[in-house]
Amino acid sequence: MTVTYSSYLHLDELLAAQQPLSQGPEHDEMLFIVIHQVYELWFKQLLHEAAHLGAALEQDDLPRVYATLKRFLTILKVQVAQIDILETMSPVSFLSFRARLDTASGFQSPQFREPEFVLGRRSARMIAHHAGTPAADRLAAMLYEPSLWDQFVQFLVRQRQPRRYRRRHRMRRRGQRRWIAAIGLVYRIGGRADRQRLAEPFGDTRHVDHGRHVGADGAHDFQQRLGQPHDR
């Protein structure tokens, strides 16, 4: 059978997956469904890139790390930007079909949680929304797997960063101060320029992990927190 654009992308199935529940249906329910389905597709790609990035870090493959990390961060920024589209829907429009969704909530999305777990923001309490589902087992297993941040730290260790870096990493195991202190030390102790360039975008992933979007001002904010400039 000849492969076509439609058959390769399974367009018939994809475009039939939007099934509004409201009477009419309400105009904005289609937007609501499409936005969330697109989010799920981007989450899938994000997890795909995260696995690729982790493997590149473990193999000390810097060119692949740079390329994959850039794509990873770009996808995150696209996901944040999609909120602008969702905000064109008024609260009244949303309420016109919200009752039809019953107890459904975005918190029930396993792929919403998995990027957080991959980045290192994880706890058993966060699995409660998925109790009794295959997703719960998958998330529970991730509690004991190294995060991307852990893989980045191990990459630095293999690059023979001083012992004081490793000690500082253990001391700052929790909270946002952890990545500021750790990456800041990479800049202060100097070393290969490629490690320093890699530190900054990993700082961006830590910002996103805490629910903040960095964008173009991320590097400036990072420098302000460190209290010292560096050459870009």
Side-chain angles (χ1 to χ4, degrees), residues 15 20 39 68 89 97-98 109 131-132 158 176 182 202 205 211 218-219 231:
L15 298 179
Y39 266 120
T68 310
M89 181 172 60
F97 63 85
R98 175 63 184 92
S109 166
R158 289 193 300 275
Q176 190 166 348
F202 261 98
T205 68
D231 294 332

Side-chain angles (χ1 to χ4, degrees), residues 176-195:
Q176 190 166 348
R177 290 184 305 166
R178 171 187 168 201
W179 73 262
I180 296 174
I183 297 181
L185 191 56
V186 174
Y187 278 97
R188 283 193 283 271
I189 64 178
R192 290 174 53 186
D194 52 10
R195 289 198 298 266

Side-chain angles (χ1 to χ4, degrees), residues 3 14 35 42 47 50 64 69 71 92 96-97 133 144 158-159 169 179-180 202:
V3 175
L14 180 65
I35 284 285
W42 278 129
L47 294 167
R64 188 154 58 106
L69 184 56
R71 180 182 295 174
V92 172
S96 69
F97 63 85
T133 70
Y144 305 98
R158 289 193 300 275
Q159 301 299 307
H169 169 64
W179 73 262
I180 296 174
F202 261 98

Side-chain angles (χ1 to χ4, degrees), residues 142-176:
M142 293 175 71
L143 290 173
Y144 305 98
E145 296 174 356
S147 67
L148 273 179
W149 177 259
D150 294 326
Q151 290 172 310
F152 174 56
V153 168
Q154 289 305 311
F155 161 81
L156 291 178
V157 170
R158 289 193 300 275
Q159 301 299 307
R160 296 183 175 86
Q161 290 289 355
R163 291 191 181 188
R164 56 186 168 140
Y165 172 82
R166 288 177 249 178
R167 184 167 59 252
R168 180 74 67 91
H169 169 64
R170 288 195 296 269
M171 291 171 60
R172 306 279 183 146
R173 187 73 183 173
R174 302 278 182 187
Q176 190 166 348

Side-chain angles (χ1 to χ4, degrees), residues 203-229:
D204 278 6
T205 68
R206 298 302 299 170
H207 267 304
V208 176
D209 179 25
H210 285 80
R212 297 176 55 196
H213 174 53
V214 176
D217 295 329
H220 175 71
D221 177 63
F222 181 67
Q223 292 171 26
Q224 292 292 326
R225 289 172 179 273
L226 285 181
Q228 63 176 36

Side-chain angles (χ1 to χ4, degrees), residues 2-160:
T2 302
V3 175
T4 66
Y5 178 83
S6 180
S7 65
Y8 180 69
L9 296 178
H10 296 274
L11 284 185
D12 290 342
E13 296 90 338
L14 180 65
L15 298 179
Q18 297 76 46
Q19 300 290 331
L21 297 178
S22 60
Q23 294 293 329
E26 293 292 340
H27 176 74
D28 280 352
E29 188 177 3
M30 179 63 75
L31 173 66
F32 186 81
I33 293 172
V34 169
I35 284 285
H36 286 82
Q37 288 180 340
V38 170
Y39 266 120
E40 291 296 331
L41 289 172
W42 278 129
F43 285 143
K44 182 174 183 175
Q45 185 65 34
L46 202 64
L47 294 167
H48 181 67
E49 299 299 339
H52 192 66
L53 177 56
L57 283 167
E58 291 179 354
Q59 296 166 18
D60 298 332
D61 187 343
L62 276 175
R64 188 154 58 106
V65 168
Y66 287 136
T68 310
L69 184 56
K70 180 179 180 180
R71 180 182 295 174
F72 187 93
L73 290 172
T74 302
I75 293 172
L76 285 174
K77 291 173 183 178
V78 167
Q79 288 186 301
V80 172
Q82 286 184 179
I83 295 175
D84 292 339
I85 303 174
L86 196 59
E87 287 180 343
T88 65
M89 181 172 60
S90 70
V92 172
S93 295
F94 176 61
L95 290 175
S96 69
F97 63 85
R98 175 63 184 92
R100 298 281 183 174
L101 306 184
D102 198 16
T103 60
S105 166
F107 287 112
Q108 296 169 338
S109 166
Q111 288 195 136
F112 177 78
R113 286 297 180 199
E114 286 182 55
E116 292 184 309
F117 276 47
V118 165
L119 289 171
R121 186 174 184 268
R122 55 179 76 163
S123 72
R125 179 177 54 83
M126 297 168 71
I127 306 175
H129 287 287
H130 312 286
T133 70
D137 295 334
R138 192 164 66 248
L139 290 169
M142 293 175 71
L143 290 173
Y144 305 98
E145 296 174 356
S147 67
L148 273 179
W149 177 259
D150 294 326
Q151 290 172 310
F152 174 56
V153 168
Q154 289 305 311
F155 161 81
L156 291 178
V157 170
R158 289 193 300 275
Q159 301 299 307
R160 296 183 175 86

